[in-house]
Amino acid sequence: MVSQSNGGSGAGQPLRYPVLDSLRGLAALAVVFHHIPAVAGLSAAGFDANFGRMVDLFFVLSGFVIAASYSAKLSAGFSFSRFIWLRWGRVWPLHAAMVTVFALSMLALGLLRPELRTHGLMAGQGDPTDLPIAYLLLQGVVPSLGIIWNHPSWSVSVEMLLYLLAAAGWKLAGSRIWMAWLTLAVAVLTFAAFGGAFSGLTSNIGRGVGGFGLGLVLHRAFERSSAPQLSTTVATALELAAVGAVGAVLWGSDSLMAFDLAATALVALSALQRGLVSRVLCAAPFQWLGTMSYALYMVHIFVIGRVFDLLAVLQPRLGVIIADTTIGGADALVGPDWQANAMKVLIMALCLIVAVPFARLIEQPARSWSRRVAGQAMPKPAN
């Protein structure tokens, strides 16, 4: 089951899959859980050791969704510049806002705590020389001198590159370009599966190509074939099997190929929306989480860091030990296990709370503005 939405482009009525928004929200929540450091509780048991792999689910989802929204339109003459503007307007404003928040906070920390300064007046491990790269959303594909400003944005940078490549392919070769994406995805995943060395920018781009390519090819398969007639029982069993396959990779091998294949199966079965799992994911709470997913993903590292900074100040005064932490240093929640688990949940909730104003005051207004500009000032699609 799908719904119709024009995505603000003003050209055609592409299909939209609400259930995939929920999957994106759950993936973002898993990444947040993974990024909260702990040496006790579920993390000490290795429960979330591989949850960073959920970023690769983003790539699969993006390949499928962007193909659903734009492959036919770009192949038929939709403006390349208009497409890029809409994508840029979707992700850049909130990204730029968070880079600014990070830079200002590190400047403030350097002014308050001179002993923590690393670059002039600025504290932290981010190099100010990297700020132009960060603001241009290139940090996932261009080398940085220091750590990435707002680390999760590397995947957004890679997605923008993939959008450019996909749009150029559709403009130049039309729908046939899916064969090139399949070849690239298979080559990358096979290379990784047989022990190929992926690191740094190579890893970033390789992970993106593998997942995005499979998602794009999956949508092509949806276009070229009729939906299978599955009963609710069979569809639910298949959905649960796909969820189990994703879980097995996360708690087992952490193989990129295995995860991407399992994630692609999960996206395919969810998009069919024939089983109970996908229907539950269309419920309002999961849909809301989906609308918050990008903001949650972009704000969570900053929120987590500031929570630990606050704990570093409060713990000595309160006489309690919740985390092993120092301002601007390495952090980790400590035991007992119930305390570490409870703190993880509380920090996740706080990340969601902070994400709401960033989504409503920055992300959503900027997205609406970019759509208006695209409709008024950008080149119109060809008839």
Side-chain angles (χ1 to χ4, degrees):
M1 180 184 297
V2 295
S3 63
Q4 300 289 335
S5 169
N6 65 10
S9 67
Q13 296 286 323
L15 294 175
R16 180 175 174 273
Y17 300 81
V19 64
L20 302 186
D21 294 336
S22 298
L23 281 183
R24 192 181 297 274
L26 290 172
L29 207 57
V31 172
V32 175
F33 190 90
H34 171 70
H35 282 158
I36 302 171
V39 293
L42 292 171
S43 294
F47 173 78
D48 62 325
N50 297 324
F51 274 22
R53 184 61 72 198
M54 293 297 278
V55 173
D56 296 281
L57 177 57
F58 293 154
F59 291 134
V60 177
L61 287 166
S62 291
F64 184 91
V65 170
I66 210 68
S69 300
Y70 287 103
S71 61
K73 292 197 295 185
L74 284 164
S75 298
F78 189 84
S79 166
F80 180 85
S81 60
R82 198 162 179 238
F83 166 78
I84 296 304
W85 173 259
L86 288 167
R87 290 294 88 204
W88 186 263
R90 171 70 179 87
V91 301
W92 185 81
L94 180 54
H95 156 74
M98 287 310 304
V99 171
T100 302
V101 167
F102 266 93
L104 292 178
S105 67
M106 292 301 102
L107 177 60
L109 182 59
L111 293 173
L112 294 173
R113 298 286 298 272
E115 73 276 13
L116 298 178
R117 293 176 187 171
T118 54
H119 297 88
L121 297 177
M122 191 169 287
Q125 300 178 45
D127 193 321
T129 309
D130 291 330
L131 284 173
I133 293 173
Y135 276 111
L136 290 172
L137 201 50
L138 296 173
Q139 63 273 51
V141 296
V142 172
S144 298
L145 296 175
I147 65 168
I148 293 177
W149 289 93
N150 196 16
H151 183 264
S153 61
W154 74 264
S155 65
V156 183
S157 174
V158 171
E159 282 200 5
M160 280 302 302
L161 172 64
L162 296 171
Y163 293 152
L164 284 166
L165 295 175
W170 284 319
K171 294 295 289 184
L172 294 173
S175 59
R176 296 186 302 277
I177 199 65
W178 72 270
M179 292 182 283
W181 279 102
L182 178 60
T183 302
L184 282 172
V186 169
V188 166
L189 296 177
T190 302
F191 178 77
F194 284 92
F198 271 139
S199 62
L201 300 181
T202 304
S203 175
N204 295 349
I205 297 171
R207 289 171 66 181
V209 167
F212 188 91
L214 289 183
L216 187 149
V217 172
L218 174 63
H219 181 262
R220 178 62 175 172
F222 265 59
E223 282 185 321
R224 301 287 291 180
S225 59
S226 57
Q229 299 302 310
L230 302 175
S231 68
T232 299
T233 301
V234 171
T236 301
L238 290 173
E239 289 173 348
L240 290 173
V243 171
V246 169
V249 179
L250 292 177
W251 297 308
S253 67
D254 190 35
S255 162
L256 177 62
M257 174 180 279
F259 183 86
D260 277 2
L261 291 175
T264 301
L266 178 60
V267 171
L269 290 163
S270 297
L272 289 175
Q273 201 175 309
R274 299 292 176 81
L276 296 179
V277 175
S278 54
R279 292 178 187 177
V280 168
L281 289 179
C282 284
F286 292 106
Q287 288 291 288
W288 177 83
L289 181 63
T291 63
M292 291 295 112
S293 61
Y294 181 57
L296 174 63
Y297 188 64
M298 296 305 288
V299 308
H300 78 274
I301 289 293
F302 181 83
V303 175
I304 292 168
R306 303 299 70 77
V307 167
F308 278 100
D309 287 346
L310 183 61
L311 288 174
V313 173
L314 293 180
Q315 284 182 152
R317 300 179 182 181
L318 299 176
V320 298
I321 300 297
I322 297 173
D324 181 8
T325 181
T326 56
I327 294 179
D331 308 308
L333 297 171
V334 299
D337 289 347
W338 68 265
Q339 176 180 278
N341 292 336
M343 281 301 300
K344 274 217 171 192
V345 172
L346 286 174
I347 295 172
M348 289 169 66
L350 181 60
C351 289
L352 266 173
I353 290 170
V354 174
V356 172
F358 276 88
R360 293 182 177 175
L361 301 179
I362 299 176
E363 178 192 356
Q364 293 168 6
R367 187 180 185 185
S368 297
W369 172 78
S370 68
R371 288 171 170 176
R372 288 196 299 272
V373 171
Q376 297 169 6
M378 306 296 287
K380 302 297 182 182
N383 292 325

